[in-house]
Amino acid sequence: MHTAPNTGRSHTVGLRTDGTVVAVGWDKDGQCAVAGWADVVFVAAGWRRTLGVRASGTVLAAGRAREGACQVDGWEEIVAAAAGDWHSVGLRADGTVAAVGNNRRGQCEVSGWRGITSVSAGYLHTVAVTGTGRVLAAGDRSAGVAEVLDWRDVAAVSAGSHHTAGVDSRGRVLAAGDNSRGQCDTASWRDVVAVAAGSTHTLGLRADGTVLAAGNNDGGRCDVAGWHVRAR
């Protein structure tokens, strides 16, 4: 599972200041075929798919079509998007949410959501934050979709493959779902301003620019001790 909106499992997407898009990496399903895109203000990358939100609120998609996750032609007034492994999610300007693609665990059952400010898509689940700091979730229960409903004062969430991470207004990090590699061991984290959930690890960016990591360290993915990142 990707750890940021513009990184898929095997390809990376970049948004230029002029609204055009670049992509590199694995292109078996055409997920890097974005050279003709224009007026794009937001990008997201899934497993074999790339999404681009235009300034007009419409959405572009490139990549694997089999599960229907690229069927975004009818979407309008979209301000942000999230690409899971098998489904795509769009956040409308009015705070409602659209979803297409694989729905075998109910991860696309978001039509009743209201007041949403951000969305994130995982392997088989979708999570969102409301304007009041509540979290809504749909899909695979093993990813913590029941537990996150009890979270309060949440500022942002991130959906990993089988777990969910969130940061609250006080800078504490919450996590629920699969913890087989310790990816949910974040209870002691403080002063965090952003989180990212990967397949089996979790990252947290502190206000001072340092980075925390928990979970699977195969390939050194948690070796962030010397990082100092400027928060946007």
Side-chain angles (χ1 to χ4, degrees):
M1 177 59 195
H2 50 285
T3 57
N6 63 329
T7 56
R9 277 189 178 178
S10 303
H11 75 296
T12 302
V13 182
L15 175 61
R16 294 191 179 105
T17 56
D18 65 358
T20 60
V21 180
V22 292
V24 294
W26 188 45
D27 193 31
K28 182 178 180 181
D29 290 277
Q31 58 264 45
C32 292
V34 299
W37 291 9
D39 299 318
V40 175
V41 296
F42 186 96
V43 291
W47 177 35
R48 301 187 181 193
R49 181 177 68 269
T50 303
L51 302 176
V53 179
R54 284 175 165 161
S56 64
T58 58
V59 180
L60 300 165
R64 182 180 170 114
R66 187 179 305 171
E67 291 77 27
C70 286
Q71 295 177 2
V72 298
D73 290 347
W75 288 6
E76 297 179 341
E77 299 182 356
I78 302 296
V79 295
D85 278 25
W86 306 103
H87 68 299
S88 300
V89 182
L91 173 62
R92 298 188 183 97
D94 65 358
T96 60
V97 180
V100 293
N102 184 320
N103 192 37
R104 65 176 176 156
R105 297 295 174 84
Q107 61 264 40
C108 292
E109 296 175 5
V110 299
S111 61
W113 292 3
R114 299 290 185 272
I116 304 302
T117 59
S118 66
V119 292
S120 183
Y123 174 49
L124 294 172
H125 73 297
T126 304
V127 291
V129 179
T130 72
T132 60
R134 300 287 297 273
V135 177
L136 301 180
D140 189 356
R141 292 183 63 85
S142 70
V145 299
E147 293 88 335
V148 302
L149 301 180
D150 293 327
W151 293 358
R152 297 293 185 273
D153 298 319
V154 174
V157 290
S158 179
S161 286
H162 301 284
H163 76 293
T164 303
V167 58
D168 69 15
S169 60
R170 290 187 286 176
R172 300 178 304 175
V173 175
L174 309 164
D178 176 42
N179 194 34
S180 59
R181 302 301 296 270
Q183 60 266 46
C184 292
D185 294 340
T186 63
S188 64
W189 293 6
R190 295 292 183 271
D191 300 319
V192 173
V193 295
V195 291
S199 55
T200 51
H201 74 298
T202 303
L203 300 177
L205 173 63
R206 279 179 167 155
D208 65 2
T210 57
V211 179
L212 301 167
N216 181 3
N217 195 36
D218 291 351
R221 68 192 72 179
C222 290
D223 293 341
V224 298
W227 288 15
H228 193 278
V229 181
R230 180 180 297 175
R232 290 187 299 175

